Each structure stands twice: as structure tokens, then as C-alpha cells.
Amino acid sequence: MIRFEPRSNPGPFLVYGVPILAATIAILLAAIPLALAGAPIIQAYGLMISGAFGSVFSTSEMLTRATPLILTGLAAAIAFRAKLWNIGAEGQLYMGAMAAVAVGSGVIDGPSWVMIPVVIIAGMAAGALMLIGPTLLKTRLGVDEVVTTLLLNFIVLLFVQMMLEGALKDPMSMGWPQSEPIIDSAAFPALLDRMRVHIGLLIALVSAVALAIFVKRTVWGFEIRAVGENAAAARFSGISVTKTMILVAALSGGLAGLAGVSEVAGTRGYLATDLSPGYGYAGIVVAMLARLSPIGVIASALFVASVFVGADSMSRAIGVSSYLADLIVAMALLCVLIGGFLTRFRVHFDRKSAQG
């Protein structure tokens, strides 16, 4: 008979070691599909590492890919901390990107110190509004936010497609569905010459540190944690659960919208329907790998980004599908979920009861 006993105080090895162990196991398990595909396993792992860290360019590409993952990971982490299951970061990312393009493609003009904050504020506001609606439906009417936020992703993408064929379409795009480009004064400056990595990375890192301080050191952060632990007890103690959830929605949606801003103002320069390869959904994995820690999100985003970039390089070199990266990330998430359960519970095998 198997019996699960709650752990009163998991040690630091379990708390911090489980995500690292989960990532390691996931990478090792990737050898199975590699072997089935007939790829040289050692060479494949070497190509993955060199593809993500083998040169300044490859490392910069990994950091470029990590930037939106940090922001969407933070969006998921703060929402999940309050038990607000935001599955709509993908839609919020696109809404943030569309708002940034709407104000940053020449409608208004000004110096960089004006335009960059303007596109950031517009994108974060659009993303926040996208989540505040489902949050009010949850708190007022009990509507499941998993359903509403997930379905809004598809609605937003269709809306973006409509806008790219209409009001936002670039007349110089030769018929391609894309927006007018962001003007130079609204674009994020690059951190390295002839590289795509931009100041969005610095903004993401500062956001992670600021969110960690906010959650741990402020009254609002305490209220968010209290609502997440037990909403009924928090309400009984005088905390406004509705106001706290709206604050969380604004933060989570705003961070996802900021990810969209970083892509259009820093990486792409314009909006298209293929702006995101799934950063909003991958952010959920990033947050879970980090165990909802804002600082841990940085490390987990770097891991996920390195897997994606390394797998792309490996697939081009030896002809193995780049979808291996998705498999590794999925296995890492499963390992973290299993590890998280074993962190909270101790497993006992009661042989006597089984025999009886």
C-alpha cells in the first residue's frame, strides 16, 4: 500500500534542487527520441550546446529568445501565485504588440525618451485590460478564467489578422499582412552591434527583480500571497479579494503585453500574425519550472530559450526535427510537476498493510 505523508518543512535541496534535477532529467530523456530518429546522440547534444552558447551571435540569439519568455513567465508566475489561472498571455502579448504599433508607427512622434515609454505604457495597458475582464467575471460571477483567457487568445489573434488587413496594414508590404514599422524613435536600441538582442532584455531583468521585491517586501505582495494561499481566510481578515485579483490581473496582463512590445519594438520592428511562436504558452512552463519565483523565472527562461535555439541549430546540422525542443520543455514540465508533488509529500510503502 502506498501512503503519502505531507512534509512539514521541505529542505532547501528539495525546494531549489527539484527544478534543476527536472531540467537535467528532461535533457537526458531526449536521448530516446534522438536514438529513435537515428541521430548521433553525443554529437546532437554537442550541437545543441554550441548552437546556444558556441559564439557571441548564438548567445545573443538565445538572450533575444529569452527576453519575451522572462516577461511571459513573470506574467504567469504572479497570476498563479494568487490562484488566478491566466492562460491568455499569448493573446495579451499580441494586444500589447498591437497597441505599441498603433501609437509607435508614426501616429505621434517625439524623441526616444518620450516614444519608448509611450509604447511601453500603451502595450502594458492593453495587456492588462485583456485580463481584467476575465478576472472580474471570475470574482463577480464565478466564471472559470481558464476557459475565458484561453478562448480570448483565439479571438485576439483573429482580431489582429483583421487589423493587419485593414487599419494597421502597411501599404508598402506588397500585400503581406503586416503593420507599418515602428518609427526609429520608438524602437528599442540594440545592446550589441549587428546583434538582435536589445534593451528589452534589461527591462525584463529589472521587471523580475522589481516583482520579487514587490511580492516579498510590500503589503500588496503580502495580500497577493494571502489570497493565493486561502482566499476565504484572506477575506475574513479584511483583505479585499476582488481588488487584489484586479491588481494581479493588471500586473500579469501588463507583463505579457510588455513582452509583445519588446518583440515589435525590439526584435521585429513591425506586427505580423507570426510574431510569437507560442511565448505566452511557454511562459507557463517557465513559471512552473521556476516554482513561481520571479528570480527563478530568469534562470528557467534562459534554459527554455537555450533549448529552443540549440535544437534549431541541431536540426539544421543533422536533420532532426526542431520539435525536439518542445518535447524537452514538455518533459521538463512533467518532471517539475512530479518533483513538486514529491517535495510536498513523503511517499511511504506500507508492506504490512498490503499483505493484510
Side-chain angles (χ1 to χ4, degrees):
M1 179 179 179
I2 301 176
R3 181 166 50 89
F4 300 101
E5 177 184 329
R7 296 180 187 269
S8 58
N9 186 23
F13 174 77
L14 287 176
V15 173
Y16 300 108
V18 163
I20 298 174
L21 183 61
T24 304
I25 292 174
I27 292 174
L28 294 176
L29 288 176
I32 298 174
L34 281 173
L36 293 175
I41 296 175
I42 302 300
Q43 182 185 357
Y45 280 126
L47 289 169
M48 286 184 66
I49 295 172
S50 63
F53 304 101
S55 65
V56 174
F57 175 77
S58 59
T59 303
S60 72
E61 285 297 298
M62 184 272 292
L63 293 174
T64 301
R65 189 78 70 96
T67 299
L69 289 173
I70 293 173
L71 293 168
T72 55
L74 293 173
I78 186 64
F80 291 3
R81 178 75 67 178
K83 297 294 192 295
L84 177 64
W85 308 114
N86 177 20
I87 315 298
E90 186 79 359
Q92 294 145 25
L93 181 151
Y94 271 98
M95 284 300 293
M98 188 166 65
V101 166
V103 301
S105 58
V107 176
I108 58 176
D109 199 358
S112 294
W113 62 270
V114 171
M115 291 305 301
I116 290 177
V118 165
V119 297
I120 289 175
I121 292 171
M124 293 187 71
L129 289 173
M130 280 295 300
L131 186 55
I132 288 175
T135 302
L136 288 173
L137 290 175
K138 171 188 173 71
T139 56
R140 298 295 187 182
L141 302 175
V143 178
D144 188 349
E145 74 276 19
V146 173
V147 176
T148 54
T149 55
L150 178 62
L151 293 180
L152 276 173
N153 288 334
F154 303 100
I155 295 172
V156 168
L157 192 56
L158 290 172
F159 180 63
V160 169
Q161 290 174 346
M162 182 187 74
M163 294 298 289
L164 291 179
E165 294 287 356
L168 294 179
K169 186 173 182 178
D170 183 4
M172 305 299 291
S173 65
M174 305 293 291
W176 291 101
Q178 66 183 52
S179 73
E180 294 188 53
I182 293 282
I183 59 178
D184 291 341
S185 59
F188 286 2
L191 293 178
L192 297 173
D193 291 337
R194 297 185 298 277
M195 303 291 177
R196 296 200 305 165
V197 62
H198 50 81
I199 64 166
L201 175 63
L202 300 182
I203 294 173
L205 295 176
V206 170
S207 299
V209 174
L211 189 63
I213 295 172
F214 175 81
V215 171
K216 291 291 186 181
R217 303 295 182 183
T218 67
V219 174
W220 286 339
F222 171 78
E223 291 177 348
I224 289 171
R225 287 183 282 122
V227 169
E229 290 293 332
N230 191 321
R235 186 181 291 108
F236 182 79
S237 66
I239 296 174
S240 174
V241 174
T242 300
K243 289 181 179 179
T244 301
M245 295 296 273
I246 291 174
L247 172 62
V248 171
L251 287 172
S252 179
L255 286 165
L258 182 56
V261 176
S262 77
E263 286 300 286
V264 295
T267 306
R268 282 289 192 92
Y270 60 89
L271 175 62
T273 53
D274 62 347
L275 178 72
S276 168
Y279 290 133
Y281 300 110
I284 297 173
V285 180
V286 169
M288 296 302 294
L289 286 173
R291 298 179 63 84
L292 308 185
S293 164
I295 300 301
V297 162
I298 298 174
S300 60
L302 292 174
F303 165 73
V304 172
S306 63
V307 169
F308 282 139
V309 174
D312 287 342
S313 176
M314 178 195 65
S315 67
R316 291 191 299 268
I318 60 176
V320 175
S321 173
S322 61
Y323 286 109
L324 178 69
D326 298 311
L327 182 61
I328 293 175
V329 172
M331 288 191 296
L333 176 59
L334 289 175
C335 291
V336 164
L337 293 175
I338 295 171
F341 179 81
L342 296 178
T343 300
R344 295 191 302 271
F345 295 93
R346 184 180 286 106
V347 181
H348 292 280
F349 296 94
D350 195 341
R351 295 182 179 179
K352 293 183 179 180
S353 298
Q355 292 174 357

